[in-house]
Amino acid sequence: EVQLLESGGGLVQPGGSLRLSCAASGFTFSDYGMRWVRQAPGEGLEWVSSISESGGSSYYADSVKGRFTISRDNSKNTLYLQMNSLRGEDTAAYYCAKVIVVGRNRYIDVWGDGTTVTVSS
Amino acid sequence: AIQMTQSPSSLSASVGDIVTITCRASQGIKNDLDWYQQKPGKAPKILIYGASSLQSGVPSRFSGSGSGTDFTLTISSLQPEDFATYYCLQENSLPYTFGQGTKLEIK
């Protein structure tokens, strides 16, 4: 069974740091691009970051560029999101997501259950 | 960034109804659009990719159409388990952008 299990969320003060992890199982992790998507309380979904299969390419939303870093360790089947200089508006559930390519279409076919980040003093 | 305008933001309907949700892109995105369903406290779930392709395991009462800037998700006969929030997502260009969501409630 394909599974994504996020961890590392919690309460952090403004300006602080957290590292989220996402442990993947049930598929060949190194064959798939991955993403982080977040959802603030009561709000909609927001794409945060993407990383290629090898980790050689990464992309960020403007709202997190320069503060967040996505990475992956294919030997450990794990995706990471290093979050620095956290702000109140980063408070959200963070979802790890697996991206599949079918023909010329790519989409998220598997989501983790999410981990919650709360930025507050 | 491409803006995705989803409508309506909320919708009340009854079991058995036909429901249509639309997404409009601020510029052409070919067919690079997906539809997701999210239930409270749960992760989203893929329904439709490539504007009109039904994800394996998703009931055939869900269908998608459109290309370019205008897209539609149709639920042909609402079932109790379909009451949820629906989001479109454009995958044509970075940054990927979601619609604001449509909350489908029981009338």
Side-chain angles (χ1 to χ4, degrees), chain A:
Chain A
E1 180 189 3
V2 174
Q3 281 193 318
L4 299 172
L5 184 62
E6 302 95 337
S7 60
L11 175 63
V12 62
Q13 292 187 339
S17 297
L18 275 179
R19 188 176 83 154
L20 306 184
S21 299
C22 171
S25 60
F27 64 101
T28 304
F29 183 66
S30 58
D31 284 349
Y32 294 91
M34 299 292 294
R35 295 179 188 171
W36 289 98
V37 175
R38 70 184 180 183
Q39 186 170 35
E43 301 296 324
L45 299 166
E46 179 187 16
W47 170 76
V48 173
S49 183
S50 296
I51 191 167
S52 62
E53 295 86 338
S54 67
S57 298
S58 58
Y59 310 93
Y60 300 92
D62 285 347
S63 57
V64 307
K65 199 173 295 181
R67 301 187 298 122
F68 289 12
T69 303
I70 191 171
S71 63
R72 63 191 298 162
D73 185 336
N74 286 344
S75 68
K76 295 183 178 179
N77 292 340
T78 302
L79 175 72
Y80 302 101
L81 186 68
Q82 177 67 44
M83 304 187 296
N84 298 331
S85 302
L86 283 161
R87 307 167 179 167
E89 53 265 36
D90 297 318
T91 295
Y94 284 74
Y95 294 101
C96 165
K98 168 180 170 283
V99 178
I100 190 170
V101 177
V102 177
R104 65 169 298 280
N105 296 118
R106 73 182 67 232
Y107 62 96
I108 296 171
D109 68 331
V110 180
W111 298 70
D113 288 336
T115 187
T116 300
V117 173
T118 303
V119 183
S120 176
S121 55

